[in-house]
Amino acid sequence: MDIFPRPLPTEPLIDPFARAITYLRVSVTDRCDFRCVYCMSEHMTFLPKRDLLSLEELDRLCSAFIRLGVRKLRLTGGEPLVRRDLMTLIRSLGRHIDSGALEELTLTTNGSQLAKHAADLYAAGVRRVNVSLDTLDETKFRQVTRWGDLGVVLGGIDAALAAGLKIKINTVALRDVNEDEIASIAAWAHGKGMDLSLIETMPLGEIDGDRTDQYLPLSRVRARLAQRWTLNDIPYKTGGPARYVSVAETGGRIGFITPMTHNFCESCNRVRVTCTGTLFMCLGQEDAADLRAPLRASESDALLADAIRSAIARKPKGHDFVIDRTRAKPAVARHMSTTGG
Ligand code: SAM
Ligand code: SF4
């Protein structure tokens, strides 16, 4: 008899640094209909479709994490809404919202397919989405996304708001691209009742350009915004790593996500799974665990739960991103679109 009985599968996931893992991000595809310059090179090689988890397998995987205590689930990619029949998965995952097991089901999207899906997302239990938008200038939008159309994305945002979804705009701060525009993006977002989160570029995956040319520290952005507006630090939290300020003049909030200038790892509550079922315990580290094999090895979820637990037991303390010209290679070889932003 085992004198140290194994913990019940419902025990929460706690990592070696006493952080409870309650937030899962799942990349449902590595493909995308855009080619943002900081995210992808123009000619990407994507995974063969046979390597991807099926929608049923993604459902099983997410449900296993929910049984282990995950309360917030974010679908991302690549562009999640370009995965065929994704709404089937979202509708199915909505049962965990109905049962109360999951507090939030959400997604990060480039907005290109939002007009088509907004009402269905709401009906499935989604209440908030993050939409990435780096500029409100049509020409610049085309330059940054290479393939995107600003008008379509703005139409998607309006459709989502009309459907009752709350939106947070994610903007990557890019030197020489949107540095002068950030205040107007904030004013626009706040005018529509949307929060804005600003993100620093991270050295993830090979791209065509030079990241040192793109990198814009948010400390500089914040200083510029503070010349124009009254920014008040507020304790507002959305379960993510953003530190928020409220803007007295607009009545809206701006979040700063600063992986490069400020390390936020001490409160990390999240892990990420790729569309092939690889679990990354940290966005900025290479260590990973394969969940596809245990998922496919048996119809019961016991092996899968064991694999998840032993991976969480190795979650590292944090990342150590550096962007500097002396490094020829990105800190992490895989793209954000693979791990899921
Ligand atoms: N396609 C969807 C979108 O763009 O929202 C979801 C996936 S995308 C990888 C998620 C987020 O990661 C986006 O807000 C994007 O701007 C951001 N992102 C991509 N590559 C990045 C990088 N190297 N550094 C910082 N943010 C990045
Ligand atoms: Fe696609 Fe999102 Fe990456 Fe842009 S940031 S290329 S929209 S995955």
Side-chain angles (χ1 to χ4, degrees):
M1 204 184 89
D2 196 348
I3 48 168
F4 297 112
R6 291 196 314 159
L8 290 172
T10 47
E11 248 176 54
L13 295 169
I14 308 283
D15 82 356
F17 303 94
R19 298 171 296 194
I21 306 307
T22 54
Y23 183 179
L24 175 68
R25 292 192 175 208
V26 180
S27 174
V28 296
T29 175
D30 62 332
R31 291 164 197 250
C32 187
D33 53 346
F34 290 5
R35 291 289 181 278
C36 301
V37 290
Y38 50 79
C39 179
M40 294 192 180
S41 60
E42 184 146 25
H43 304 286
M44 293 285 290
T45 311
F46 293 112
L47 295 162
K49 290 211 168 118
R50 62 174 182 277
D51 287 356
L52 265 55
L53 296 184
S54 67
L55 295 175
E56 293 75 18
E57 287 171 330
L58 283 168
D59 189 317
R60 248 184 86 194
L61 187 99
C62 294
S63 302
F65 271 97
I66 293 166
R67 271 195 302 281
L68 293 170
V70 158
R71 293 283 164 266
K72 180 167 171 177
L73 178 60
R74 178 176 297 279
L75 304 184
T76 176
E79 174 47 39
L81 293 174
V82 301
R83 170 112 193 218
R84 190 177 314 158
D85 289 335
L86 186 77
M87 282 313 301
T88 314
L89 174 67
I90 296 181
R91 272 193 291 271
S92 168
L93 290 171
R95 72 187 185 279
H96 298 299
I97 294 279
D98 293 340
S99 76
L102 195 60
E103 280 164 21
E104 185 167 40
L105 173 60
T106 183
L107 69 162
T108 302
T109 172
N110 65 22
S112 68
Q113 315 292 316
L114 209 43
K116 209 180 331 172
H117 296 298
D120 285 345
L121 287 170
Y122 191 91
V126 175
R127 291 293 176 268
R128 293 199 311 154
V129 292
N130 287 0
V131 181
S132 304
L133 182 96
D134 302 321
T135 172
L136 288 169
D137 177 298
E138 219 173 306
T139 312
K140 278 190 193 171
F141 189 84
R142 177 52 67 117
Q143 284 162 2
V144 173
T145 61
R146 292 198 185 100
W147 297 1
D149 181 326
L150 178 65
V152 172
V153 171
L154 294 180
I157 289 172
D158 286 339
L161 291 172
L165 294 168
K166 279 207 172 318
I167 297 186
K168 179 160 72 78
I169 299 293
N170 279 348
T171 300
V172 176
L174 298 163
R175 198 166 79 193
D176 302 331
V177 176
N178 60 11
E179 187 170 2
D180 293 336
E181 218 195 319
I182 287 178
S184 37
I185 297 173
W188 165 79
H190 292 170
K192 286 178 171 288
M194 306 185 289
D195 285 340
L196 172 70
S197 273
L198 301 171
I199 311 172
E200 289 173 340
T201 51
M202 289 175 256
L204 303 172
E206 297 282 359
I207 54 169
D208 299 327
D210 181 348
R211 281 215 166 80
T212 43
D213 292 339
Q214 300 176 345
Y215 176 59
L216 169 61
L218 288 184
S219 47
R220 192 159 111 191
V221 175
R222 185 178 169 146
R224 266 184 83 168
L225 290 171
Q227 284 170 2
R228 171 179 180 150
W229 285 329
T230 315
L231 309 180
N232 295 309
D233 286 305
I234 49 170
Y236 179 70
K237 280 270 159 215
T238 56
R243 282 151 200 265
Y244 278 88
V245 298
S246 65
V247 180
E249 290 78 359
T250 63
R253 288 185 286 244
I254 303 180
F256 295 87
I257 303 179
T258 54
M260 307 306 298
T261 51
H262 192 285
N263 206 307
F264 46 54
C265 305
E266 66 276 5
S267 59
C268 183
N269 58 353
R270 68 192 53 196
V271 290
R272 293 172 162 87
V273 179
T274 69
C275 52
T276 55
T278 304
L279 171 64
F280 283 97
M281 288 71 86
C282 173
L283 180 63
Q285 303 281 359
E286 301 286 0
D287 188 24
D290 174 35
L291 299 182
R292 188 173 56 182
L295 184 74
R296 289 184 174 169
S298 93
E299 278 178 20
S300 123
D301 289 337
L303 290 176
L304 179 60
D306 281 351
I308 294 172
R309 280 192 188 286
S310 56
I312 299 300
R314 314 199 295 269
K315 183 168 160 66
K317 195 166 182 194
H319 69 244
D320 33 35
F321 288 142
V322 183
I323 291 184
D324 92 48
R325 282 186 201 277
T326 57
R327 284 202 190 195
K329 293 236 168 280
V332 174
R334 59 185 192 278
H335 289 89
M336 186 83 145
S337 51
T338 308
T339 329

